[in-house]
Amino acid sequence: MLRRKEKRRYVAILYSETHLYKPVQLHEIIVRRFKELFGVLHCELAMLRLYDSEFGNTLLIRCKLKYLDNFLFSLSMTQPPVIVISLSGTLKKLRMNVSTLNLETLKTIETKYEKGMR
């Protein structure tokens, strides 16, 4: 039987600068929510890993493709609210996508989104 490496997806997440969370703390909040919704076993199998981001208030997280739907759902249920800005199969391509985005425009969209949530 052939051993294959499972496919992964890398997700860029924009979080609010008004909240005083460090990236590691936000990652822990996201992982905790994933565990609450889908259990510890699925969380460990999803292999949610945090990567360094040089884009300010952006998180880069890796997830296995099989658990991507669960991960995206848990992101939508996370407090404080976060916004997925890009998704890619490789970390290099994700960083390239995020660097080409206009983050100032995204920040104004984010503030409109937060005002609508209140």
Side-chain angles (χ1 to χ4, degrees):
M1 184 171 167
L2 295 175
R3 296 189 70 125
R4 293 182 163 239
K5 189 164 84 171
E6 291 194 42
K7 292 186 177 184
R8 303 177 190 120
R9 290 298 176 259
Y10 297 88
V11 181
I13 301 168
L14 183 69
Y15 61 92
S16 175
E17 290 178 336
T18 58
H19 298 288
L20 301 175
Y21 292 110
K22 294 179 182 176
V24 175
Q25 292 171 325
L26 276 173
H27 180 257
E28 290 172 0
I29 291 170
I30 292 168
V31 168
R32 187 177 333 121
R33 176 55 88 182
F34 191 95
K35 286 179 184 177
E36 289 171 358
L37 292 171
F38 302 104
V40 176
L41 181 62
H42 281 267
C43 185
E44 291 300 318
L45 292 174
M47 292 183 63
L48 304 176
R49 299 293 181 252
L50 179 67
Y51 286 89
D52 289 335
S53 172
E54 58 272 352
F55 304 112
N57 60 335
T58 331
L59 288 176
L60 303 180
I61 298 180
R62 180 185 77 192
C63 177
K64 283 189 179 177
L65 179 62
K66 182 177 177 180
Y67 298 98
L68 183 63
D69 291 336
N70 295 348
F71 177 62
L72 293 175
F73 180 74
S74 65
L75 283 178
S76 68
M77 299 308 225
T78 301
Q79 284 296 333
V82 294
I83 300 170
V84 175
I85 56 173
S86 187
L87 179 73
S88 181
T90 64
L91 190 57
K92 182 179 179 180
K93 185 69 174 175
L94 180 70
R95 286 187 171 141
M96 196 177 344
N97 289 344
V98 173
S99 67
T100 60
L101 290 175
N102 186 356
L103 292 180
E104 293 302 319
T105 306
L106 290 173
K107 288 177 186 175
T108 58
I109 292 171
E110 176 189 14
T111 55
K112 289 179 186 178
Y113 175 73
E114 285 181 353
K115 289 178 183 176
M117 295 294 287
R118 292 179 187 167

